[in-house]
């Protein structure tokens, strides 16, 4: 099996790579131009996230695309670079016939079937909206690109990520319809996301995941 991974240079990316390699999955990482990212055992393609030619080179022949792209800085650009990247990624996936996309998102980007006015969603979303408006705008924009695509997508919605060992004890489901906490282990996220590559249970769904 082959996957193309975006967002590998972030903290969650390392867990995704380790989990994929553990399962003997061939990994191609797409890293931004100028990135110093290195990781043994993976192929690395560097370029702009909207470069159709390089994206095609990275995605062609993959069985799935896995992405941990998302805003990580308080001074996130206001021109929605991640949303633009997803537009290009979705286009190339469609062109190349690669249908499976497993991507991270957040409860800030609502699902139509979420229960409204859930504190663990509402409170963080309000904080992000007023303290990091550019990040907030990105968080709610790029999931719409994924939802409106013709791909077999799963968006794994996360709150606060923690660098702690996997517990494999998780709450999983829509916000307000499943109990959730505010934190989740990056290792648990890595395991769950790689599981979804060959699991059709959550296709075209956006479950939230948190630790018990």
């Amino acid at each position: 099996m082959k996957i193309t991974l975006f967002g590998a240079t972030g903290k969650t990316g390392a867990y995704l790579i380790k989990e994929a390699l553990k399962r003997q999955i061939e990994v191609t990482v797409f890293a931004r131009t100028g990135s110093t990212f290195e990781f043994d055992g993976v192929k690395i393609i560097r370029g702009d996230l909207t470069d159709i030619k390089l994206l095609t080179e990275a995605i062609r022949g993959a069985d799935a695309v896995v992405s941990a792209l998302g805003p990580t800085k308080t001074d996130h650009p206001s021109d929605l670079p991640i949303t633009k990247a997803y537009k290009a990624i979705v286009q190339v996936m469609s062109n190349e016939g690669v249908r499976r996309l497993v991507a991270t998102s957040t409860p800030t980007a609502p699902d139509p079937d979420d229960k409204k006015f859930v504190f663990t969603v509402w409170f963080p979303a309000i904080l992000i909206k007023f303290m990091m408006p550019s990040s907030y705008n990105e968080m709610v924009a790029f999931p719409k690109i994924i939802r409106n695509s013709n791909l077999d997508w799963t968006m794994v919605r996360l709150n606060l990520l923690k660098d702690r060992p996997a517990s494999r004890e998780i709450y999983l489901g829509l916000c307000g319809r499943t109990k959730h906490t505010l934190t989740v282990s990056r290792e648990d996220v890595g395991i769950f996301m790689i599981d979804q590559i060959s699991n059709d249970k959550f296709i075209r769904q956006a479950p939230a995941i948190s630790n018990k």
Side-chain angles (χ1 to χ4, degrees):
M1 179 178 286
K2 300 179 180 180
I3 67 170
T4 303
L5 177 60
F6 294 89
T9 59
K11 291 183 178 180
T12 303
Y15 291 96
L16 289 165
I17 293 174
K18 290 176 183 176
E19 187 62 28
L21 294 179
K22 187 187 301 182
R23 304 186 196 194
Q24 298 184 323
I25 296 172
E26 186 177 327
V27 180
T28 295
V29 167
F30 195 100
R32 289 180 176 88
T33 302
S35 168
T36 59
F37 175 82
E38 296 290 344
F39 205 106
D40 290 342
V42 306
K43 177 182 178 181
I44 302 173
I45 295 176
R46 304 180 198 275
D48 187 277
L49 284 166
T50 58
D51 187 318
I52 298 299
K53 182 178 179 180
L54 286 175
L55 287 174
T56 300
E57 180 184 346
I59 291 171
R60 179 168 290 166
D63 296 292
V65 169
V66 178
S67 175
L69 291 173
T72 58
K73 299 179 180 178
T74 55
D75 58 346
H76 185 74
S78 61
D79 60 343
L80 303 180
I82 294 171
T83 302
K84 292 176 182 176
Y86 269 114
K87 288 180 180 178
I89 291 167
V90 166
Q91 177 186 331
V92 171
M93 289 182 68
S94 297
N95 291 346
E96 294 298 317
V98 179
R99 295 194 55 81
R100 191 69 175 111
L101 172 63
V102 182
T104 56
S105 181
T106 76
T108 298
D111 185 280
D113 291 324
D114 284 340
K115 186 177 179 180
K116 307 304 180 186
F117 306 113
V118 180
F119 178 78
T120 54
V121 175
W122 174 83
F123 183 66
I126 291 296
L127 286 179
I128 294 168
K129 185 173 184 178
F130 286 97
M131 296 178 68
M132 299 185 294
S134 295
S135 292
Y136 175 85
N137 291 337
E138 190 86 90
M139 287 176 182
V140 297
F142 78 76
K144 294 177 182 177
I145 301 300
I146 296 173
R147 282 184 181 280
N148 292 332
S149 74
N150 63 351
L151 303 177
D152 294 331
W153 54 264
T154 299
M155 283 188 282
V156 183
R157 291 188 291 165
L158 318 167
N159 264 324
L160 299 176
L161 288 153
K162 297 293 184 179
D163 291 315
R164 62 192 181 208
S167 70
R168 296 181 182 268
E169 295 290 328
I170 61 173
Y171 294 118
L172 177 64
L174 294 174
C175 297
R177 303 192 183 278
T178 302
K179 183 178 180 179
H180 280 291
T181 63
L182 286 172
T183 65
V184 65
S185 156
R186 294 182 197 275
E187 189 171 6
D188 276 316
V189 171
I191 293 168
F192 180 76
M193 289 183 69
I194 299 301
D195 281 345
Q196 302 318 300
I197 294 170
S198 55
N199 185 346
D200 61 3
K201 181 177 180 180
F202 295 106
I203 285 181
R204 301 190 70 80
Q205 296 184 47
I209 179 175
S210 62
N211 283 130
K212 293 184 178 180

